[in-house]
Every structure is written in C-alpha cells, then in structure tokens.
Amino acid sequence: GNAFTDAELEAFHKRIMEVGSADVAYSAEPKFDGLAVSLRYENGILTRGATRGDGTEGEDVTENIRTIKAIPLRLRGSFPSLIEARGEVLMFRADFQKLNDRQRGLGEKEFVNPRNAAAGSLRQLDSRVTARRPLRFFAYGIAEIGDSEAPGTHAVMLNWLENMGLPVS
C-alpha cells in the first residue's frame, strides 16, 4: 500500500494487525514517478528493455535503455540464467531543471514535468538524444526468473538485485 502521512501508515499497520499476525516485517521504499520498464537479462547480458505498455505488451526501448548509465549491460556476481527485472526510469527534479534550462537556452520546447521528460526521452527514435538526457533507473521487482528460486522477502530481493549491479532505492 501507499502511505503519505504517519496517520496513513499507522492505519495500514492497524489493518494488518486485524488480519491476525503479530509477527510482521515491513519493507518501505520511495514511490518514484517515472516510466515503468522491464529489463531482460539472459546469462547476465541485457537483451531487452521494454516499457510496461498495456500490461501485456510494451514498447521495445532496448537501444535507449542501453544509454542509461545506471543500467548495467552485464550483471555482476551470481545471477540466474534468465531474469526480468522491473523498475522505474525517471529524472530527478534538479536534473529536470537543468534540462529545461538547456532547452530554453537552445530555443527548444521545455518539458512540462520530470515524468513526461523521462518518458519522452526513453521513447526517442534517436538513442543519441536519449543518451544526452539525465535519466536514472531504480529496480523494484522481478517479473520473471530462470533457474533460481525467487527471494523470500522484498528486502532480500532488493539486496539481490543490487548485488547483481542493478540500482535500487
């Protein structure tokens, strides 16, 4: 669930306790407002990057994904033969401001907000344009996994993704 205030978090906890388990552990992370993507790695090599699309079929943005410095082209350490990691491509507000300053200086159209700037940057037809944009990526989940067992908790999964070289919040 999402919580924006202490009161909402306390209400969430109360609902969980009403279900009947006193032994509860939480994992919390920021909610990023960007573009959801899936990264598919086969034998540790990035083979595809796609947007969420309609939930069944997304847009292939592999060439543009490859230009985002935070996204490893090759996983490190121990990894399954196949893994599809889910995450968010976004732009920090300070980077967004600098991008709009640059756009303004060049007499080009400014972006409305960081989410639209990130989404538009990732959907560029020319990956060289994407490469010049200050995009970031944070993994938050696994959609598919090959020959390994999925981690038992969200926190363990985030550590596992990070150990493979994927940035997490």
Side-chain angles (χ1 to χ4, degrees):
N2 294 328
F4 298 98
T5 67
D6 289 345
E8 289 173 331
L9 186 59
E10 289 168 11
F12 174 79
H13 178 69
K14 183 177 179 184
R15 288 192 306 273
I16 296 300
M17 292 296 103
E18 289 172 359
V19 173
S21 176
D23 186 26
V24 176
Y26 294 105
S27 180
E29 57 188 306
K31 167 64 175 94
F32 292 121
D33 189 20
L35 183 66
V37 297
S38 292
L39 305 177
R40 184 178 182 89
Y41 289 87
E42 297 175 15
N43 297 312
I45 307 296
L46 177 66
T47 59
R48 179 171 303 135
T51 65
R52 182 175 55 203
D54 63 9
T56 303
E57 187 172 327
E59 183 180 348
D60 185 337
V61 290
T62 306
E63 292 310 309
N64 291 345
I65 285 289
R66 290 179 187 278
T67 71
I68 300 173
K69 292 174 183 65
I71 296 176
L73 301 179
R74 179 183 301 267
L75 297 176
R76 66 176 190 239
S78 178
F79 47 80
S81 62
L82 169 70
I83 186 166
E84 184 177 324
R86 295 267 169 97
E88 200 86 0
V89 170
L90 60 114
M91 191 177 295
F92 286 171
R93 289 187 194 279
D95 294 332
F96 170 72
Q97 293 297 334
K98 289 177 189 173
L99 175 61
N100 265 349
D101 290 345
R102 186 171 70 209
Q103 293 289 105
R104 194 171 27 260
L106 295 171
E108 296 181 10
K109 183 180 174 189
E110 294 179 48
F111 295 98
V112 176
N113 58 53
R115 189 202 181 282
N116 288 357
S121 297
L122 197 57
R123 291 189 169 119
Q124 286 291 315
L125 297 177
D126 184 349
S127 62
R128 293 174 297 186
V129 173
T130 305
R132 291 192 299 267
R133 303 280 170 82
L135 298 175
R136 299 175 190 259
F137 172 80
F138 293 96
Y140 57 70
I142 298 171
E144 185 177 353
I145 192 168
D147 55 2
S148 293
E149 191 171 314
T153 68
H154 186 71
V156 171
M157 180 209 49
L158 290 175
N159 287 334
W160 190 51
L161 291 170
E162 186 174 38
N163 288 335
M164 286 187 272
L166 291 162
V168 298
S169 64

